[in-house]
Amino acid sequence: MVFHPPAWVPKLKDLPDSITIEEFVNNEAYGRRPFASSRNPYTCGLTGRTFSAADVARRTGYLARAIASHLGFNPSEGTPWDRVIAVYSLNTIDYIPLTHAVHRLSGIVTPASAAYSSEELEHQLRSSGASAIFTCVPLLDAARKAAQAVQIPDQRIFLLPLADHRQNGLPYKTVDNLVREGEGLPELQPLHWSEGQGSRQPAYLCYSSGTSGLPKAVMISHLNVIANVIQTYLYEAPSRQHLAFETQTNLGLLPLSHIYGLTVIAHNAQYRGDEVIILPRFELASFLAAIQKYRIEQLTVVPPILIQMMNNIATCRKHDLSSVRLVYSGAAPLGIEVVDDVLKEYPTWHISQGYGMTESSPLIISTCETDRLLGSSGSLIPGVKAKVIDHQGKEVAEYDTRGELLIQSPSVVLGYLNNEKANAETFVWHNDGRWLRTGDEVLVRKSSQGNEHFFIVDRIKELIKVKGHQVAPAELEAHLLAHPSVSDCAVIPVPDPNAGEVPKAFVVKAKTAAGKPEDEVRADIVRHVEGAKAKHKWLRGGIEFIDEVPKSASGKILRRLLRDREKEARRSAGAKL
């Protein structure tokens, strides 16, 4: 059974496959909102610094000229792999235009997480073949250390200005310096791409989150991003018409180095003529102040941000958040309990979810504001086909039946760089073409309007196998978060001589439980689980209290770190015995 988008979803037409992303977002010929009626694409949420849509396009062109001059880049010579630039920075208003400037030179951008250590950055620089780095003052030391390790000289390190950090006295060119230089340089020759080049040539080399191992380099083509922007635009257009608005102000807080921030927030907004209020990192005070000051209408977030809001509701109440219409959550599952808490405090807000992955650039499934089904991630967006494969390897032919999600979409990436094993495991061929194995267990259910909605149940590899039963960690985590003594949690499998595996919970205690004895809190949580869940879901692996659940920047639980912690604890216990 092949699943398709709902009948109301507009059809995906021919896509421009011979242009760069830069030309797509900065040229009205490809359907972007006219510059004259667009809002300023990127505004600094701390200082208010901003540029019009037309000025952003001009600055991008000037920046491209200066980069070509400094680095000796000639788009008509060599290959894109000769022009790989790393961006290792906190969010700034110049982040996305910088990537477009590199695309104007037929180059490749590899965005690196600002949370990376110098060693992790070194791995990305080395594997991507980057020959220059754009960074920011807070990350400069780590960037220099990694650059030296891969022999990138200091003159190939540049700075993206941040509102709260001065570059005075540092011997590095800034983006503003380069833009001014580019104004006095001759125009670049137009790119003359062959038919289909946009579908073959990488634009971004993004690294997977590495929740279960070393991050893999994902090759994302120009067409992949262009397709996903158009898919999202078509999917959301009916809602915009129904809700009677054309442009809006969005929150740009999530890391632009992550595919969620890169495409779902930045590229979508720029194409639609929206404004993005850029914040360098999450701090509750600046987050709330920006919503109030700029009258932000859409909060595109990850679940930990909503959890922090609910844990600090007295602070939130001191700010005017009445401008918010939509909260859009992604990158990790959003618990129903969190949704309930948010809606109790802010009943006029709409809460939607989306689902995707780096390997699909990223969006696959999204909630329509006018057809929401609690707990679902929404329906397929235009141009996406899906299959669900059960545990016996057969296609699911009925609703409410679990299995692994496989998808086809023009946004599915080229593959992993220099990793044929991962390519063979992730991108599989059936008699009806190439399919992306998501590794996520889903089930499909119809809404009251008759549309197919997808529920993300769990990661296939993370399911806990208890005496023939399969336990989804996310299900237990959602239940634990409903307990008043639990602020955050994660569940992993631990070995058991009788059951094979059993669930163990790592729990961060809520403030209300801070003074209670741990044994008392533990016993109360055990009763909470055993009173509502089947025996194979009981926490027979125990409950361990920790200060913080390790997570990626997007909010995904890094279970491998907890598994490593558990293995080390068991080794130590064995050694003591």
Side-chain angles (χ1 to χ4, degrees):
M1 181 178 181
V2 176
F3 297 94
H4 299 272
W8 63 265
V9 173
K11 301 299 181 185
L12 187 64
K13 298 179 181 179
D14 292 339
L15 299 169
D17 65 355
S18 304
I19 60 170
T20 65
I21 295 169
E22 184 275 327
E23 186 172 351
F24 173 71
V25 298
N26 286 323
N27 190 327
E28 295 176 3
Y30 297 104
R32 69 146 290 144
R33 188 170 187 83
F35 288 153
S37 58
S38 293
R39 302 192 189 201
N40 290 8
Y42 306 107
T43 297
C44 176
L46 301 180
T47 66
R49 189 176 190 231
T50 189
F51 297 98
S52 71
D55 284 339
V56 167
R58 277 190 288 271
R59 282 172 61 86
T60 299
Y62 296 149
L63 186 53
R65 297 180 202 176
I67 290 173
S69 175
H70 277 273
L71 300 180
F73 284 178
N74 185 339
S76 63
E77 294 180 357
T79 75
W81 296 102
D82 299 319
R83 297 180 290 276
V84 180
I85 289 181
V87 183
Y88 174 57
S89 175
L90 298 167
N91 290 354
T92 81
I93 62 172
D94 294 312
Y95 194 112
I96 299 299
L98 164 62
T99 74
H100 294 160
V102 177
H103 294 155
R104 176 64 183 84
L105 299 171
S106 199
I108 300 171
V109 176
T110 182
S113 169
Y116 273 0
S117 65
S118 60
E119 290 79 12
E120 290 169 316
L121 177 60
E122 179 188 337
H123 163 71
Q124 182 162 337
L125 295 176
R126 196 179 300 281
S127 65
S128 67
S131 60
I133 307 173
F134 280 76
T135 186
C136 57
V137 171
L139 304 179
L140 181 58
D141 288 343
R144 288 194 65 205
K145 185 177 179 181
Q148 288 168 1
V150 298
Q151 298 183 324
I152 294 177
D154 262 14
Q155 59 266 33
R156 282 177 169 255
I157 298 176
F158 304 89
L159 292 176
L160 283 152
L162 286 180
D164 49 355
H165 290 85
R166 301 289 182 185
Q167 286 79 234
N168 294 346
L170 293 173
Y172 300 98
K173 296 273 186 180
T174 69
V175 164
D176 289 332
N177 296 148
L178 295 174
V179 168
R180 285 192 291 270
E181 288 182 17
E183 287 187 70
L185 293 172
E187 286 191 30
L188 296 166
Q189 291 297 313
L191 296 176
H192 297 289
W193 277 14
S194 60
E195 185 177 347
Q197 188 169 340
S199 64
R200 301 186 299 269
Q201 182 163 314
Y204 293 106
L205 196 60
C206 292
Y207 282 67
S208 63
S209 57
T211 56
S212 59
L214 200 63
K216 298 183 289 290
V218 182
M219 296 182 290
I220 302 172
S221 76
H222 289 264
L223 179 64
N224 290 152
V225 174
I226 290 170
N228 211 239
V229 169
I230 293 176
Q231 288 171 301
T232 308
Y233 176 80
L234 290 174
Y235 188 82
E236 294 182 352
S239 289
R240 290 194 171 212
Q241 292 170 2
H242 177 78
L243 298 169
F245 73 95
E246 294 183 342
T247 62
Q248 64 176 2
T249 303
N250 303 272
L251 175 68
L253 167 65
L254 300 182
L256 297 174
S257 59
H258 189 277
I259 193 67
Y260 186 18
L262 187 69
T263 302
V264 174
I265 296 177
H267 282 94
N268 283 342
Q270 190 168 349
Y271 183 78
R272 293 183 306 221
D274 288 350
E275 182 174 22
V276 182
I277 306 302
I278 297 290
L279 292 173
R281 62 175 70 84
F282 176 71
E283 294 170 341
L284 187 62
S286 59
F287 163 74
L288 296 171
I291 297 172
Q292 177 174 294
K293 180 178 180 179
Y294 296 100
R295 308 299 296 159
I296 294 175
E297 294 150 275
Q298 178 169 327
L299 305 181
T300 308
V301 296
V302 291
I305 292 176
L306 296 177
I307 292 169
Q308 280 216 40
M309 288 183 70
M310 294 301 99
N311 288 341
N312 295 274
I313 199 63
T315 302
C316 294
R317 288 171 180 166
K318 295 176 183 177
H319 294 78
D320 179 5
L321 309 185
S322 61
S323 62
V324 176
R325 182 194 80 257
L326 174 65
V327 175
Y328 191 92
S329 179
L334 180 62
I336 293 175
E337 292 81 4
V338 179
V339 174
D340 289 342
D341 288 345
V342 173
L343 290 179
K344 283 177 185 174
E345 185 67 28
Y346 302 105
T348 62
W349 290 8
H350 295 170
I351 298 183
S352 297
Q353 291 197 68
Y355 166 82
M357 52 198 304
T358 304
E359 291 81 353
S360 56
S361 308
L363 201 61
I364 300 168
I365 295 164
S366 187
T367 305
C368 167
E369 281 192 69
T370 54
D371 179 32
R372 286 165 290 155
L373 185 57
L374 192 61
S376 92
S377 292
S379 302
L380 297 175
I381 65 173
V384 177
K385 296 179 183 178
K387 291 181 182 180
V388 179
I389 307 298
D390 67 18
H391 301 301
Q392 284 73 46
K394 297 179 181 178
E395 282 190 32
V396 165
E398 297 177 350
Y399 296 118
D400 284 294
T401 306
R402 296 184 178 208
E404 182 182 6
L405 176 66
L406 275 65
I407 66 111
Q408 284 183 343
S409 171
S411 68
V412 171
V413 301
L414 299 171
Y416 300 111
L417 177 66
N418 299 327
N419 195 333
E420 289 311 310
K421 181 177 182 293
N423 283 330
E425 292 172 349
T426 306
F427 305 97
V428 297
W429 288 88
H430 293 178
N431 56 8
D432 52 353
R434 180 177 181 250
W435 291 81
L436 167 63
R437 292 186 60 187
T438 66
D440 285 310
E441 186 178 55
V442 305
L443 58 83
V444 183
R445 185 175 294 158
K446 281 196 173 184
S447 71
S448 59
Q449 296 184 28
N451 298 319
E452 293 171 343
H453 279 241
F454 286 73
F455 290 74
I456 312 303
V457 180
D458 217 323
R459 291 290 295 169
I460 296 292
K461 293 179 180 178
E462 292 174 354
L463 292 175
I464 304 170
K465 299 171 179 63
V466 184
K467 279 189 175 180
H469 297 283
Q470 292 189 337
V471 179
E475 177 191 348
L476 283 177
E477 288 158 1
H479 186 67
L480 287 169
L481 286 170
H483 192 283
S485 294
V486 178
S487 171
D488 201 3
C489 64
V491 175
I492 66 166
V494 296
D496 180 85
N498 299 313
E501 292 179 338
V502 290
K504 175 176 178 177
F506 290 85
V507 170
V508 179
K509 287 193 292 185
K511 292 178 181 178
T512 54
K516 295 180 181 178
E518 286 193 352
D519 287 346
E520 179 183 326
V521 177
R522 186 179 287 109
D524 197 32
I525 293 172
V526 166
R527 285 193 293 272
H528 174 69
V529 174
E530 294 183 358
K533 298 295 179 183
K535 283 189 177 182
H536 64 273
K537 298 179 182 179
W538 291 2
L539 298 173
R540 299 193 185 277
I543 297 172
E544 182 176 336
F545 294 104
I546 57 177
D547 294 330
E548 183 179 14
V549 173
K551 294 180 180 179
S552 69
S554 61
K556 289 182 181 178
I557 297 171
L558 297 175
R559 299 186 203 276
R560 63 182 171 84
L561 298 183
L562 294 174
R563 290 195 295 268
D564 291 345
R565 173 188 178 124
E566 180 68 15
K567 287 177 184 176
E568 182 58 35
R570 287 172 178 258
R571 274 197 297 266
S572 298
K576 290 176 183 177
L577 292 174

